[in-house]
Structures are given as structure tokens and as C-alpha cells.
Amino acid sequence: MKHLPLPPGAGDGVILRQCGKLGWGGRRSLWLAAAARYHKVGGNPWRIKPAGFTGADATALSGLYDSRGSSGPIARIRRPATPFQSCPMCGSLGGRSLDHALPRSLFPEFSILHENLVPACTMCNSDEKGRTYRGVRRPDRFIHPYYDRWASRALWRIQFEPDLDMLQFTPVSLPTLAHRRRRIVDFHVQKLLGKEWRDSVRREWGALPAKLRRRVGASPNVVAMRDELKIRLQDAIDCYGINCWDAGFLRGVLANPAVVTELILRIHALPA
Ligand SMILES: [Zn+2]
């Protein structure tokens, strides 16, 4: 969840070079038109249809990623010289991979278009997301890091259910965002943050009272607790980015007075 500049190698050069190769020139005009549409609508899956490559054409286009995906310019999108603070798609600290914003199974013409290749962690690329690339209703879709400039702001937090012993929670968009963006962020976080994220929230929640006690003492008041949580939030943002998992977690804690009160009770209940 982060805005990224377009990667090196974005643009028509990829297509023009490939179409200069023997047997590829016939795909050129349709392929360039599809790429132009992609740029125009910023990869928005509600505003673009598959170009219509079928059969051997589709297989050849899709297969380009198999031969090119792990080396050269495409590998550098995955692993830039300056490492990402956290996964640009989900905010985890997980391993590096690449995701096709529009899946190459449906859009083989974008299989090696750099604009369609988004750095993501291995969890983002897992089975949980599968071939999902948009929701069932407009505007539900994933954030596109190259085109959604507004994604550089704080976007989400955890929402805790009232019974904190049960510890049920959901990732949600921040209420300060515009309605349409909230729909996109809600779709994005609720599709991408899966089991690994839930496990990490449970670990963080379990360890938090002891961590806080070391900073604010055994009998903190609400003001001291909030001040410490805000410092922890800023530390997380500085180190891992404004939409990293820790930042979403701590924004959710700070947004809910009942959660802060519960943490004070849990600090009191810790063994001396
Ligand atoms: Zn991720």
C-alpha cells in the first residue's frame, strides 16, 4: 500500500523490441493499442478489456514472462537498488516477488509490460488472492501502486470487535478518505491481508501489554498510554512505511478508547 514511481523500462519499448523479432511483428498494432489503453486508464480493471489475443498468440505473449521474469529489467522491479520498507502491496515484511496487476491468464498482452508488474511479497502472490483482480461491483479493485498517487497517504487500520477476549478484527479503510477510495482500500486490505497477517496481529496483541509496561510502568493512565502508542506508531512508520502492518495495527489501537482501556487492564494483570 504505497505509491511507487513507474518502474524503469515502462513504456512501449518492451513491445517494440519484441515485435522486431522474427514472427512477432503481426501482433504489434493490437499490442500497442492495448498498452496505450492501459496507460490511459491507469490499469483500472473496470476500464479495460482483454485485447483479444487468443490461442497461440495468447500463449506466446503470456509465456514471455516465463522466459523474462526472473532476470534482467524485470528482476530489478522485484529487487530495486534501494529496498522497499515493506511490501508495496500489503505492508508486510515478507519476501519479494512480483504480481501481475491484471493477470496474464486473462490479459496475456500485459505479461511483461513493466507497468503491470507490481513488486509484492510472496504472501500477496499466494493462493488466497488467486486470480482475483477486481471485485464484483465498481469501484472495488486493488490499489495500483504506480497509478494511485493517493496511496502514499495513511490508508487503513485495524477495527477490533467489542469482545477483546475473542480478539476478532478486520482491516478497514480510514474514515478520513473519500468514499470511492474507501471502497478501493477496503477491497484491497480485505483481499490481501490473510492468515499470515492475522497471526501477526495476534502475536503483537499478546506481547503488547508487557512491551508497554516496560515503557509506561505498571499503573499507566490513558494519556501516557496514548503518548507511548503514538511514539510506537511513528517508529513503525519511519522504519517500515505509513501503511505497514504495525502502523495499521497501532492506528486501530489508538482509534478505539476501549482498546486502550483494555490494554491498561492487561498491564495491571501482568505478573509482577
Ligand atoms: Zn504483500
Side-chain angles (χ1 to χ4, degrees), residues 174-225:
L174 295 184
T176 45
L177 299 173
H179 175 73
R180 189 176 156 280
R181 289 178 184 173
R182 288 196 72 181
R183 287 273 304 269
I184 294 168
V185 173
D186 280 331
F187 178 82
H188 185 97
V189 292
Q190 286 162 23
K191 284 286 176 210
L192 277 188
L193 300 184
K195 183 175 177 306
E196 297 287 342
W197 172 72
R198 291 185 179 280
D199 288 348
S200 95
V201 171
R202 289 178 184 281
R203 275 196 301 274
E204 192 60 30
W205 177 253
L208 193 54
K211 284 185 185 176
L212 289 168
R213 185 173 71 170
R214 283 193 284 274
R215 303 283 307 169
V216 296
S219 300
N221 60 32
V222 170
V223 173
M225 284 286 282

Side-chain angles (χ1 to χ4, degrees), residues 87 89-90 92 120-121 124:
C87 169
M89 281 299 272
C90 79
S92 84
C121 72
C124 277

Side-chain angles (χ1 to χ4, degrees), residues 134-150:
R134 69 178 191 194
V136 292
R137 282 192 311 147
R138 283 173 182 253
D140 298 356
R141 64 169 173 84
F142 292 105
I143 294 164
H144 199 311
Y146 300 140
Y147 294 99
D148 291 325
R149 292 188 164 275
W150 49 270

Side-chain angles (χ1 to χ4, degrees), residues 97-265:
S97 182
L98 274 182
D99 192 33
H100 286 87
L102 298 182
R104 61 180 169 137
S105 54
L106 288 172
F107 297 88
E109 58 273 23
F110 303 136
S111 88
I112 56 163
L113 197 71
H114 290 199
E115 295 86 324
N116 193 46
L117 295 172
V118 175
C121 72
T122 45
M123 289 176 271
C124 277
N125 234 341
S126 72
D127 296 341
E128 229 162 322
K129 174 168 168 273
R131 286 174 56 182
T132 307
Y133 69 102
R134 69 178 191 194
V136 292
R137 282 192 311 147
R138 283 173 182 253
D140 298 356
R141 64 169 173 84
F142 292 105
I143 294 164
H144 199 311
Y146 300 140
Y147 294 99
D148 291 325
R149 292 188 164 275
W150 49 270
S152 54
R153 291 195 271 151
L155 299 177
W156 74 287
R157 63 171 169 80
I158 282 185
Q159 182 168 284
F160 292 91
E161 295 300 319
D163 184 347
L164 289 164
D165 288 331
M166 295 284 291
L167 193 60
Q168 302 288 325
F169 49 87
T170 317
V172 296
S173 59
L174 295 184
T176 45
L177 299 173
H179 175 73
R180 189 176 156 280
R181 289 178 184 173
R182 288 196 72 181
R183 287 273 304 269
I184 294 168
V185 173
D186 280 331
F187 178 82
H188 185 97
V189 292
Q190 286 162 23
K191 284 286 176 210
L192 277 188
L193 300 184
K195 183 175 177 306
E196 297 287 342
W197 172 72
R198 291 185 179 280
D199 288 348
S200 95
V201 171
R202 289 178 184 281
R203 275 196 301 274
E204 192 60 30
W205 177 253
L208 193 54
K211 284 185 185 176
L212 289 168
R213 185 173 71 170
R214 283 193 284 274
R215 303 283 307 169
V216 296
S219 300
N221 60 32
V222 170
V223 173
M225 284 286 282
R226 289 187 59 83
D227 285 348
E228 175 58 23
L229 287 162
K230 284 179 198 166
I231 290 169
R232 298 183 77 87
L233 171 59
Q234 194 57 52
D235 285 349
I237 290 171
D238 290 348
C239 194
Y240 303 117
I242 197 162
N243 288 306
C244 71
W245 286 6
D246 270 1
F249 173 79
L250 289 163
R251 274 195 291 267
V253 171
L254 279 161
N256 189 333
V259 173
V260 177
T261 304
E262 174 70 20
L263 283 168
I264 291 174
L265 294 174

Side-chain angles (χ1 to χ4, degrees), residues 9-142:
D12 292 340
V14 169
I15 299 173
L16 295 173
R17 276 192 299 279
Q18 188 63 31
C19 288
K21 295 184 180 172
L22 189 65
W24 278 84
R27 303 176 178 93
R28 180 179 158 131
S29 57
L30 187 55
W31 198 0
L32 285 172
R37 180 71 188 161
Y38 193 102
H39 303 313
K40 185 169 183 212
V41 304
N44 184 333
W46 291 105
R47 301 185 63 198
I48 193 163
K49 290 190 170 68
F53 289 106
T54 55
D57 271 340
T59 306
L61 284 162
S62 178
L64 288 173
Y65 185 74
D66 296 322
S67 53
R68 306 267 192 84
S70 56
S71 62
I74 292 181
R76 284 194 286 280
I77 302 175
R78 183 186 293 118
R79 201 168 275 273
T82 307
F84 299 114
Q85 288 178 299
S86 55
C87 169
M89 281 299 272
C90 79
S92 84
L93 305 183
R96 298 172 193 183
S97 182
L98 274 182
D99 192 33
H100 286 87
L102 298 182
R104 61 180 169 137
S105 54
L106 288 172
F107 297 88
E109 58 273 23
F110 303 136
S111 88
I112 56 163
L113 197 71
H114 290 199
E115 295 86 324
N116 193 46
L117 295 172
V118 175
C121 72
T122 45
M123 289 176 271
C124 277
N125 234 341
S126 72
D127 296 341
E128 229 162 322
K129 174 168 168 273
R131 286 174 56 182
T132 307
Y133 69 102
R134 69 178 191 194
V136 292
R137 282 192 311 147
R138 283 173 182 253
D140 298 356
R141 64 169 173 84
F142 292 105

